[in-house]
Amino acid sequence: MPAQKFATETRLGLVRRARRIDRILGETYPDAKAELDFTNPFECLVVTVLSAQTTDKRVNLASPALFAAYPTAKEMAAAPREHLEQLVGPLGFFRAKTEALLKLSAVLVEEYDGEVPSRLEQLVKLPGVGRKTANVVLGNAFGKPGITVDTHFGRLSRRFGWTTEKDPVKVEHEVGALFEKRDWTMLSHHVIWHGRRICHAQKPACGACPVSQLCPAYGEGPTDPVAAAKLVRTEGRN
């Protein structure tokens, strides 16, 4: 079994293998970045909150009209609920998302003068914001290292043998310990891009994977290159 190859791996061996995987993924996806569109920290926070239970592509289609109408926290906090519901309606769960945006914007205005805070402990106290969202904002809007443990990152971290944990916070800490802090944000992008394009949940394209020889889960999907190539997605906004 492929996993047996890594059964006696030392801690040092794990660290070296993990960093080698990241280097290869970085070479494979040199343009890796957040696939949500935004131009400032407020927009980054809002689109990340809206991305729950929907696709990045759908959020990117809806966000221009949203920010044209309500470009700041102050304006969004005063938005008529009905109009906001109309703008976010295509994303699903529009009532809950509208409520989240109104509460979030109000707190930003009341406690932070309309600005998005740049510290993790402040971000996670905002309505509708957990560690995943906070780390997205820290890494992509403020340039501060953060690991984004979404479903893709968690799945691949376990397949790579970086962790056996399923709790996102535990995954974040265990995986973070394998890498230099400065690499956390780009690591997140590399792994998420790979999960969206090749290492799928149901049928990973193992035969087309650039890190197959470093992966304990090799063989969970088709190993034949031709069959695997048919599973590869060239665009990952999903």
Side-chain angles (χ1 to χ4, degrees):
M1 295 292 291
Q4 292 177 345
K5 175 182 177 182
F6 306 96
T8 59
E9 185 175 51
T10 64
R11 175 69 180 181
L12 179 59
L14 172 60
V15 170
R16 287 176 173 171
R17 181 170 62 83
R19 295 183 181 186
R20 187 179 173 195
I21 287 175
D22 185 42
R23 286 195 298 272
I24 294 172
L25 292 181
E27 294 167 358
T28 305
Y29 309 111
D31 299 321
K33 61 180 180 178
E35 296 189 272
L36 288 164
D37 296 335
F38 57 87
T39 62
N40 57 55
F42 176 65
E43 290 185 1
C44 180
L45 179 58
V46 168
V47 295
T48 305
V49 169
L50 289 176
S51 68
Q53 305 299 318
T54 190
T55 66
D56 290 356
K57 186 173 184 178
R58 291 176 70 183
V59 174
N60 289 338
L61 289 173
S63 60
L66 175 66
F67 294 130
Y70 309 110
T72 68
K74 183 176 181 180
E75 289 165 300
M76 191 170 288
R81 182 181 297 270
E82 295 77 10
H83 188 224
L84 204 55
E85 288 182 350
Q86 181 181 357
L87 291 172
V88 304
L91 305 180
F93 303 96
F94 66 94
R95 289 190 178 87
K97 290 184 178 182
T98 295
E99 182 71 10
L101 293 187
L102 289 171
K103 288 183 177 179
L104 174 62
S105 299
V107 171
L108 289 178
V109 172
E110 293 168 6
E111 299 186 14
Y112 299 101
D113 197 29
E115 300 298 319
V116 177
S118 60
R119 295 171 57 187
L120 178 67
E121 55 268 31
Q122 295 173 318
L123 285 167
V124 296
K125 291 180 180 178
L126 296 173
V129 178
R131 286 185 71 93
K132 182 181 79 170
T133 296
N135 278 322
V136 170
V137 174
L138 287 175
N140 297 285
F142 293 110
K144 296 184 176 182
I147 291 179
T148 303
V149 184
D150 69 353
T151 56
H152 299 290
F153 193 95
R155 179 178 73 252
L156 269 64
S157 293
R158 289 184 287 274
R159 281 181 174 168
F160 289 157
W162 295 351
T163 182
T164 57
E165 298 290 348
K166 292 187 177 180
D167 177 81
V169 176
K170 293 180 179 179
V171 172
E172 177 187 339
H173 291 317
E174 282 205 0
V175 175
L178 301 175
F179 297 88
E180 296 288 349
K181 189 174 182 178
R182 64 174 181 266
D183 296 327
W184 285 356
T185 299
M186 287 310 301
L187 167 70
S188 300
H189 291 321
H190 297 157
V191 173
I192 291 170
W193 273 48
H194 191 56
R196 287 178 168 178
R197 289 159 175 79
I198 292 180
C199 196
H200 313 305
Q202 298 301 320
K203 189 180 288 186
C206 292
C209 179
V211 296
S212 59
Q213 298 305 307
L214 299 170
C215 180
Y218 176 71
E220 285 191 12
T223 58
D224 174 72
V226 176
K230 295 178 181 179
L231 300 173
V232 175
R233 297 171 186 163
T234 57
E235 185 270 341
R237 285 183 175 175
N238 52 27

